[in-house]
């Protein structure tokens, strides 16, 4: 069962007070995510509710670190379940391109889909062994060529379209996902920054506001925060989340349940 939440939709941008006062061209900012309530607040998140900042991040890390792991080879079949196209059970929905593609076309050739690490492997040196390299909360199916175009680029605004982009854009050093999954990408990156804190043999992953920053960082934090606010969780993201929790890992992405916790921490 999906967690009960206050309904939220795409949020209009707001004019900054400073720009209005001085008569300059107004800057555009996203309205922060509204508070939510879920069925897990009194159980799974009980130790975290009411906290902010470092205390909230530390509490959530402790909670979500209790998880099962799967092998990298098992990720193929898992993604066929987690990312099944709701309109065609024979297909998976590709993250950046939005294309619905046959589950049978998994592989490494042109026209296939493969396993995209949203937190790029080179931004954490974690490879594909069980742990961050196989964590389904940030692994998604994507067209082989689109996956290669994204590569290990940080996420930011701008760029040009490309074949099978689905509205995603890229330039020399960054990648902008299509609008419908901008919030999904933000919540996956920030989940990784909370889940992996360097206390279980994996790197201490952190989100920062740089492009092409050093390991183990991923950016761009200010843009990810904006995308989290502008694109709240939809039915596809929430269903996927529940499947990972109930059928595979036993842990949750707190920013899907509580998008407002992004601002509370960062």
């Amino acid at each position: 069962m999906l967690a009960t939440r206050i309904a939220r939709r795409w949020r209009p941008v707001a004019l900054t007070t400073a720009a209005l006062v001085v008569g300059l061209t107004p800057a555009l900012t996203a309205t922060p995510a509204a508070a939510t309530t879920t069925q897990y607040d009194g159980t799974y998140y009980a130790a975290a509710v009411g906290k902010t900042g470092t205390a909230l991040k530390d509490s959530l890390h402790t909670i979500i670190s209790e998880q099962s792991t799967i092998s990298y080879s098992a990720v193929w079949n898992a993604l066929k379940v987690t990312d099944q196209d709701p309109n065609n059970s024979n297909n998976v929905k590709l993250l950046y391109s939005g294309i619905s593609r046959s589950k049978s076309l998994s592989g490494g050739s042109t026209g296939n889909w493969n396993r995209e690490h949203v937190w790029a492997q080179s931004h954490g040196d974690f490879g594909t062994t069980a742990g961050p390299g196989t964590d389904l909360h940030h692994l998604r199916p994507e067209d082989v060529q689109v996956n290669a175009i994204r590569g290990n680029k940080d996420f930011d605004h701008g760029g040009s379209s490309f074949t099978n982009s689905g509205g995603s854009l890229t330039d020399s050093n960054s990648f902008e996902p299509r609008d419908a999954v901008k919030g999904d990408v933000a919540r996956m990156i920030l989940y990784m920054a909370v889940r992996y804190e360097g206390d279980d043999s994996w790197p201490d992953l952190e989100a920062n506001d740089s492009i092409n920053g050093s390991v183990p960082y991923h950016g761009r934090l200010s843009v990810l925060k904006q995308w989290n606010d502008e694109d709240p969780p939809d039915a596809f993201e929430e269903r996927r989340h529940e499947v990972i929790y109930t059928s595979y890992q036993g842990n949750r992405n707190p920013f899907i349940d509580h998008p407002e916790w992004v601002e509370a921490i960062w």
Side-chain angles (χ1 to χ4, degrees):
M1 178 182 296
L2 298 182
T4 303
R5 62 170 64 251
I6 296 173
R8 289 173 291 111
R9 302 181 184 277
W10 275 81
R11 306 184 190 288
V13 293
L15 302 181
T16 61
T17 302
L20 292 175
V21 170
V22 300
L24 301 175
T25 301
L28 299 179
T29 58
T31 303
T36 58
T37 302
T38 80
Q39 63 183 350
Y40 299 103
D41 290 356
T43 53
Y44 188 78
Y45 293 121
V49 171
K51 295 179 179 177
T52 60
T54 301
L56 176 58
K57 189 182 183 204
D58 290 347
S59 181
L60 291 175
H61 169 68
T62 299
I63 293 167
I64 68 178
S65 293
E66 294 294 325
Q67 74 178 92
S68 299
T69 60
I70 63 174
S71 69
Y72 195 49
S73 61
V75 169
W76 287 116
N77 284 332
L79 293 180
K80 294 176 184 179
V81 179
T82 60
D83 290 75
Q84 178 174 292
D85 184 344
N87 298 315
N88 186 342
S89 61
N90 294 316
N91 289 8
V92 291
K93 195 74 174 287
L94 307 187
L95 175 63
Y96 304 130
S97 58
I99 292 170
S100 178
R101 184 163 293 172
S102 173
K103 292 177 180 178
S104 65
L105 292 177
S106 59
S109 302
T110 300
N112 289 163
W113 61 269
N114 59 5
R115 299 159 292 185
E116 155 71 343
H117 289 81
V118 177
W119 185 292
Q121 294 178 55
S122 65
H123 286 248
D125 289 337
F126 46 69
T128 59
T129 54
T134 67
D135 195 316
L136 294 171
H137 284 300
H138 85 117
L139 278 160
R140 302 291 293 266
E142 187 49 71
D143 175 80
V144 168
Q145 291 176 296
V146 174
N147 195 345
I149 289 170
R150 187 267 157 139
N152 66 351
K153 295 173 181 175
D154 289 284
F155 296 104
D156 197 4
H157 293 296
S160 303
S161 184
F162 50 88
T163 301
N164 288 333
S165 71
S168 296
L169 306 171
T170 192
D171 57 24
S172 62
N173 61 7
S174 69
F175 191 89
E176 179 178 349
R178 60 191 175 99
D179 288 346
V181 297
K182 280 182 164 71
D184 307 50
V185 166
R187 288 180 283 275
M188 286 186 278
I189 291 292
L190 298 175
Y191 160 85
M192 294 292 282
V194 171
R195 167 59 187 88
Y196 299 99
E197 293 279 38
D199 56 1
D200 50 5
S201 79
W202 301 113
D204 180 2
L205 305 181
E206 294 294 343
N208 68 4
D209 213 36
S210 298
I211 298 298
N212 290 335
S214 59
V215 174
Y217 300 101
H218 220 307
R220 185 177 179 195
L221 179 58
S222 60
V223 173
L224 295 172
K225 289 173 61 179
Q226 178 184 343
W227 291 349
N228 172 67
D229 292 336
E230 290 177 341
D231 175 33
D234 60 15
F236 185 92
E237 185 180 4
E238 291 181 333
R239 176 198 168 275
R240 183 178 197 278
H241 187 210
E242 291 297 328
V243 171
I244 294 171
Y245 176 61
T246 59
S247 300
Y248 292 99
Q249 295 186 183
N251 73 335
R252 302 185 66 78
N253 180 337
F255 306 117
I256 295 176
D257 291 321
H258 285 280
E260 75 275 14
W261 281 349
V262 169
E263 188 66 33
I265 294 174
W266 287 283

